[in-house]
Amino acid sequence: MVYNDCQNTTIATSYGNTYTHICGNKKSKSKPVILFFHGIGSVSMLFADWLVPALQDKYTCLAMDYPCDTGRSSPPNGDVKKCPQTKEQLVWWVAEIIDGFQLTGRKVSVVGYSFGAYIAGSVAKLRPNLVENVVLLAPYGIFTPVPMSWVFRAIITGMMKMEAVDEWFLDSMSVKGFRISDLPLGAPEWLAATRALGATVVSIFPDVWRDEELKQINAQTSSTLLLIGENETVSNGTEAHERAQAAGWKSTLYHNAGHLMFMEEPTRSKIIKDVVSFFGV
């Protein structure tokens, strides 16, 4: 799982150096920009072999490693106390990335998966002047609370630090019949990268936003899209889908899809098609 025809760079922010993949022609001022945010315990490689290649001809795609998660980004002097502690600080981190790429004054689109969806949504909520379009994939919080059963499994997995436990946790987020070890979709490379590159330090627990806040995000950006599975384990997929639609968002609820829907076929292919259509590629 690698980024093809892309460059790598590091952007300095108040929360440390942010390692970023740049795909597409970043020098073209007329080419729209999409920022990609990965989930907890992951890296920006998550988008490497599906969404970014589908969009980078028309868009400049920036996929970054969160500085306090696994990956090549890091907080200042490695001090985890300097990681973002609130969603306001998450948004400030993103704003500094936008400034670092000299995109100030231009609106960008944001795409996020899981915790990355919380980051993307928070930017749209608190700094709508920065955002053109919003795509949230299997969001962590925002529409419904995170079940305590999932939190318990996540804590156990973090404490054990064993490959077998990691796969048990990931399998629990997939639909019945899917196993991480059986998926020929870059999962082995993705898992190896997340295990090798570092530890996760994410101290922000997501909140659930009011209907009025969801409607405001939809009203203040050009377009909003929620993509979620009906077998979601980090939230209630059906309830999230219904809340999004009631707030005026475009929303798709995928049948027989879990939290790891980006690795589950045929859902993975459907997501690519839906996102490509949303961005008019």
Side-chain angles (χ1 to χ4, degrees):
M1 183 186 290
V2 296
Y3 280 100
N4 294 317
D5 301 321
C6 301
Q7 301 172 323
N8 302 323
T9 192
T10 299
I11 295 294
T13 74
S14 301
Y15 303 99
N17 294 323
T18 299
Y19 183 83
T20 306
H21 299 277
I22 309 167
C23 305
N25 184 6
K26 74 182 183 68
K27 295 182 180 180
S28 174
K29 293 185 178 181
S30 62
K31 198 172 184 180
V33 176
I34 304 176
L35 307 185
F36 291 82
F37 303 99
H38 62 79
I40 290 176
S42 185
V43 293
S44 55
M45 283 175 63
L46 182 145
F47 300 103
D49 64 343
W50 61 306
L51 280 186
V52 167
L55 297 169
Q56 70 185 65
D57 285 346
K58 184 174 180 180
Y59 291 84
T60 296
C61 299
L62 307 179
M64 59 236 31
D65 287 354
Y66 182 62
C68 300
D69 202 342
T70 61
R72 293 180 175 87
S73 299
S74 60
N77 301 314
D79 185 356
V80 298
K81 294 181 181 179
K82 296 180 180 180
C83 296
Q85 302 294 318
T86 65
K87 65 173 175 286
E88 288 78 12
Q89 291 179 352
L90 287 175
V91 172
W92 186 254
W93 168 66
V94 175
E96 289 188 328
I97 292 171
I98 291 173
D99 289 343
F101 279 105
Q102 300 180 344
L103 298 172
T104 305
R106 294 177 59 189
K107 285 192 172 186
V108 301
S109 295
V110 290
V111 175
Y113 165 74
S114 193
F115 181 70
Y118 186 76
I119 297 174
S122 294
V123 178
K125 179 183 178 183
L126 299 180
R127 294 288 300 275
N129 61 302
L130 300 178
V131 178
E132 185 73 28
N133 303 293
V134 184
V135 178
L136 306 186
L137 310 171
Y140 182 60
I142 298 181
F143 294 94
T144 72
V146 177
M148 292 310 298
S149 58
W150 182 88
V151 175
F152 174 76
R153 290 195 298 272
I155 292 173
I156 292 297
T157 302
M159 292 174 59
M160 297 295 288
K161 300 184 183 301
M162 296 172 58
E163 184 172 330
V165 177
D166 288 347
E167 294 198 7
W168 162 78
F169 179 54
L170 292 171
D171 285 341
S172 74
M173 292 189 287
S174 301
V175 293
K176 186 176 181 180
F178 284 90
R179 290 294 179 267
I180 297 301
S181 58
D182 298 331
L183 290 172
L185 297 171
E189 294 84 355
W190 172 63
L191 289 173
T194 58
R195 289 171 182 143
L197 289 173
T200 299
V201 182
V202 178
S203 57
I204 301 168
F205 197 78
D207 52 336
V208 176
W209 300 346
R210 302 188 310 274
D211 292 340
E212 293 75 15
E213 293 173 311
L214 298 175
K215 291 177 181 177
Q216 185 176 34
I217 293 171
N218 184 61
Q220 293 181 333
T221 57
S222 293
S223 193
T224 49
L225 176 65
L226 170 68
L227 301 177
I228 196 165
E230 66 177 359
N231 301 101
E232 176 63 64
T233 55
V234 179
S235 65
N236 184 313
T238 300
E239 182 181 345
H241 170 66
E242 292 173 350
R243 288 198 67 209
Q245 287 189 317
W249 292 49
K250 298 176 183 177
S251 182
T252 297
L253 181 68
Y254 296 113
H255 174 66
N256 196 36
H259 190 63
L260 298 184
M261 60 184 189
F262 70 94
M263 289 195 291
E264 300 169 349
E265 288 288 13
T267 306
R268 174 186 171 100
S269 295
K270 293 178 181 177
I271 294 172
I272 297 172
K273 181 179 179 181
D274 288 342
V275 172
V276 164
S277 176
F278 176 79
F279 281 110
V281 177

